[in-house]
C-alpha cells in the first residue's frame, strides 16, 4: 500500500511538472520512426523496423504507444509521466530495501527523499518530454527491478527472484545498450 501511495504521489507531481510541455513530444526522430511504423506495420516488429541496434522492446513499446495514442500528445504525456513515476517508485523500493538491510535509521525517509530528487531532477525532462525516449524510463525501471530481485535472492535465497532478475535484466538489454 505504501508503494502505491508513493507511486500515486510521484505521478501527480510528474504530471504537474511535465504535462505543460506535452506539445513538443513528437519531434525529429519520432517522425522517422512513425513513418517506419506506418509503412511496415506489425510485421516490422519482427526485425525491429530495420534498427541496427537490439532495440526490440523499445520498438514494441514505442510502436504500441503510436498505435494507442497516434499524434495526440496529451495521452503520450500522461503515459510518460506515469513511466517516470514508476521509475522513481522502483528506485524508492530498491533503496529502501538496501537501507533496511543495512539497518540504517530512517531508511524509508532517505529512500523517499532520494527518489523524489530523481523525480524532480531537471535532467529527466528529456526522457519524459520527448516521445522517442521511451527506452530510458523503461530501462531504468527494468534495471532497478533486476537489482531488487537480486537483493531478494541474496537475502532470502528465493530461486524465483533469480529468474526475475534475469528476465528484467534481459528486458533492459533489449531497450537500450547498457
Amino acid at each position: 500500500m505504501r508503494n502505491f501511495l508513493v507511486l500515486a504521489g510521484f505521478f501527480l507531481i510528474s504530471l504537474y511538472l511535465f504535462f505543460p510541455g506535452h506539445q513538443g513530444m513528437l519531434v525529429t526522430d519520432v517522425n522517422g520512426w512513425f513513418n517506419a511504423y506506418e509503412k511496415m506495420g506489425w510485421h516490422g516488429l519482427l526485425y525491429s523496423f530495420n534498427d541496427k541496434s537490439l532495440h526490440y522492446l523499445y520498438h514494441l513499446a514505442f510502436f504500441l504507444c503510436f498505435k494507442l495514442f497516434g499524434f495526440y500528445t496529451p495521452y503520450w504525456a500522461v503515459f510518460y509521466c506515469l513511466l517516470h513515476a514508476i521509475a522513481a517508485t522502483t528506485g524508492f523500493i530498491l533503496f529502501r530495501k538496501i537501507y533496511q538491510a543495512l539497518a540504517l535509521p530512517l531508511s524509508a525517509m532517505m529512500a523517499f527523499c532520494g527518489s523524489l530528487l530523481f523525480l524532480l531532477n531537471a535532467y529527466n525532462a528529456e526522457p519524459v518530454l520527448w516521445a522517442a525516449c521511451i527506452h530510458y524510463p523503461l530501462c531504468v525501471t527494468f534495471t532497478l527491478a533486476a537489482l531488487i530481485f537480486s537483493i531478494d535472492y541474496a537475502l532470502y535465497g528465493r530461486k524465483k527472484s533469480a529468474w526475475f532478475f534475469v528476465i528484467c535484466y534481459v528486458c533492459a538489454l533489449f531497450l537500450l545498450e547498457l
Side-chain angles (χ1 to χ4, degrees):
M1 181 61 164
R2 174 176 35 182
N3 296 339
F4 177 76
L5 293 176
V6 170
L7 174 62
F10 284 175
F11 177 57
L12 292 175
I13 292 168
S14 186
L15 277 175
Y16 177 76
L17 290 175
F18 297 110
F19 187 82
H22 71 84
Q23 292 176 329
M25 292 187 76
L26 304 178
V27 295
T28 64
D29 59 343
V30 171
N31 297 320
W33 286 124
F34 285 0
N35 288 335
Y37 295 165
E38 285 179 344
K39 181 180 172 184
M40 297 181 208
W42 292 93
H43 182 70
L45 286 170
L46 296 175
Y47 45 93
S48 196
F49 297 95
N50 293 327
D51 192 348
K52 303 287 187 256
S53 302
L54 298 174
H55 288 159
Y56 297 105
L57 290 180
Y58 163 79
H59 285 294
L60 175 63
F62 199 37
F63 179 75
L64 289 175
C65 286
F66 173 67
K67 287 295 190 185
L68 288 171
F69 308 142
F71 294 96
Y72 193 63
T73 57
Y75 290 164
W76 284 89
V78 169
F79 183 67
Y80 276 55
C81 288
L82 178 62
L83 290 177
H84 186 53
I86 290 170
T89 303
T90 308
F92 165 72
I93 295 166
L94 171 68
F95 286 104
R96 188 184 68 216
K97 281 185 173 290
I98 292 171
Y99 299 156
Q100 286 174 344
L102 296 172
L104 295 177
L106 302 172
S107 57
M109 182 58 71
M110 288 191 309
F112 178 79
C113 289
S115 57
L116 183 63
L117 287 174
F118 170 82
L119 186 82
L120 301 174
N121 191 330
Y123 285 112
N124 289 322
E126 181 182 342
V128 180
L129 292 174
W130 187 14
C133 292
I134 193 168
H135 49 318
Y136 292 113
L138 290 174
C139 186
V140 165
T141 301
F142 278 111
T143 302
L144 294 175
L147 293 172
I148 290 168
F149 288 121
S150 70
I151 290 171
D152 280 349
Y153 179 73
L155 292 178
Y156 309 113
R158 296 180 185 136
K159 290 183 181 182
K160 184 168 54 169
S161 294
W163 283 107
F164 282 130
F165 164 80
V166 171
I167 291 167
C168 288
Y169 189 71
V170 168
C171 286
L173 287 174
F174 285 108
L175 282 161
L176 186 67
E177 308 86 17
L178 293 172

